[in-house]
Amino acid sequence: MSHVENELKSQPECWARAAGEAAGHGDVLPVAGERVAVVGCGTSWFMAQALAVLREQAGQGETDAFAASEFPHGRAYDRVVALTRSGTTTEVLELLGRLNGRTRTVAITADPRTPVMEAADDVVVLDYADERSVVQTRFATTALTLLRAHLGLHGDAVVADARTALAEPLPEGLVDCTQFTFLGRGWSVGLANEAGLKMREASLAWTEAYPAMEYRHGPISVTTAGTATWMLGEAPEGLAQQVRDTGALWVGGKLDPLAELVRAQRLAVAVAAARGLDPDQPRHLTRSVILTTP
């Protein structure tokens, strides 16, 4: 079993633990009314997108999400939340350094032995969700679960759905598809982006991701037999039939969107296996992007 497959299977236990710990981190996580930015790179950026929508929908305050390299330094925030599994990513550390003394920062990381421990004002360590794999699975979803629980948006049903996502077989014919599109609405747009990234990283698959209502504004033109279109969350009315009419395989999201992401992670591993690829050795990737100064 690959590292990534072993790690993605541990997510229900990690989520339950993170939800139970959320209240203990309430003194460093954003409070209602604060203007917050959430930053990260790669997978962490997509988790930031999901969190930003969840927090605003919960009435907690204006919340933006940025790739760490694209943070708008001309804007004022009460707190910046940085998601970084490794604690060593160059763009995140540089941003935290620039914000030092200007804006309160909190980092959520998996490794307490890394530079982010000194770079951020506050740190939450989820070391039990750390990973050996390059391809992120459980750390990202565990960090988001912690933050969902902090917002009061996590329940036992989410963990139950994750167990279902691991136990049920993938839809018939899905692994044989040659192109994959993931769709989301609201907070699940970020999850759709992440599902697409998992497919590209682990299986080198042609994969796209869009807000569901945008799919009919052009992207559906490349949908045909051999395409799988996967909805994370509730689909817009009529979209499923429009996709089926193209000859594509429609996969409706029946679980909590975060649990649907677990199903997508499984698909990435399954497609990698079908193509003779090792998901623990993604092409051109390393576990953390650490840039050297010329």
Side-chain angles (χ1 to χ4, degrees), residues 89-131:
T89 304
T90 297
E91 299 99 303
V92 172
L93 294 176
E94 289 182 349
L95 173 59
L96 292 173
R98 290 189 63 177
L99 294 175
N100 185 36
R102 295 170 41 206
T103 305
R104 192 76 186 176
T105 59
V106 55
I108 300 177
T109 188
D111 192 342
R113 299 156 298 187
T114 56
V116 77
M117 300 297 292
E118 299 298 326
D121 295 312
D122 302 297
V123 182
V124 176
V125 178
L126 305 177
D127 52 356
Y128 54 88
D130 202 358
E131 298 160 327

Side-chain angles (χ1 to χ4, degrees), residues 14 16 35 86 92 138 182 266 274-275 279 286:
C14 289
R35 189 167 190 251
S86 70
V92 172
R138 71 182 179 192
F182 295 94
R266 288 181 56 210
R275 297 181 178 184
T286 57

Side-chain angles (χ1 to χ4, degrees), residues 54-249:
L54 283 172
R55 188 171 183 270
E56 288 205 354
Q57 288 180 340
Q60 293 288 298
E62 184 176 345
T63 314
D64 296 321
F66 302 104
S69 59
E70 299 300 318
F71 184 83
H73 289 277
R75 296 187 189 179
Y77 291 97
D78 299 307
R79 195 181 308 249
V80 171
V81 179
L83 305 178
T84 170
R85 176 181 66 171
S86 70
T88 59
T89 304
T90 297
E91 299 99 303
V92 172
L93 294 176
E94 289 182 349
L95 173 59
L96 292 173
R98 290 189 63 177
L99 294 175
N100 185 36
R102 295 170 41 206
T103 305
R104 192 76 186 176
T105 59
V106 55
I108 300 177
T109 188
D111 192 342
R113 299 156 298 187
T114 56
V116 77
M117 300 297 292
E118 299 298 326
D121 295 312
D122 302 297
V123 182
V124 176
V125 178
L126 305 177
D127 52 356
Y128 54 88
D130 202 358
E131 298 160 327
R132 295 179 64 182
S133 60
V134 173
V135 176
Q136 278 202 58
T137 56
R138 71 182 179 192
F139 173 75
T141 61
T142 300
L144 185 57
T145 296
L146 174 84
L147 294 160
R148 284 181 81 184
H150 173 66
L151 294 171
L153 300 176
H154 174 86
D156 292 340
V158 179
V159 175
D161 276 1
R163 297 189 191 282
T164 299
L166 291 168
E168 290 189 348
L170 294 171
E172 185 175 353
L174 184 58
V175 172
D176 298 324
C177 290
T178 56
Q179 191 268 341
F180 302 86
T181 299
F182 295 94
L183 306 177
R185 301 182 82 176
W187 74 284
S188 69
V189 172
L191 303 186
N193 288 332
E194 169 59 9
L197 181 62
K198 290 287 89 69
M199 294 294 296
R200 290 188 289 274
E201 289 177 329
S203 64
L204 304 181
W206 173 19
T207 315
E208 300 176 343
Y210 302 97
M213 292 296 289
E214 285 297 306
Y215 191 51
R216 289 174 281 210
H217 291 269
I220 197 171
S221 65
V222 298
T223 303
T224 187
T227 300
T229 301
W230 190 325
M231 182 71 212
L232 282 73
E234 184 178 355
E237 184 176 354
L239 183 57
Q241 188 56 52
Q242 284 181 279
V243 170
R244 293 188 183 103
D245 289 344
T246 69
L249 174 64

Side-chain angles (χ1 to χ4, degrees), residues 7-47:
E7 289 158 359
L8 74 84
K9 289 182 175 179
S10 68
Q11 287 174 107
E13 292 74 24
C14 289
W15 296 4
R17 180 169 175 178
E21 295 177 351
H25 298 298
D27 57 335
V28 301
L29 296 176
V31 299
E34 285 186 331
R35 189 167 190 251
V36 173
V38 193
V39 301
C41 298
T43 288
S44 293
W45 176 34
F46 298 141
M47 295 299 103

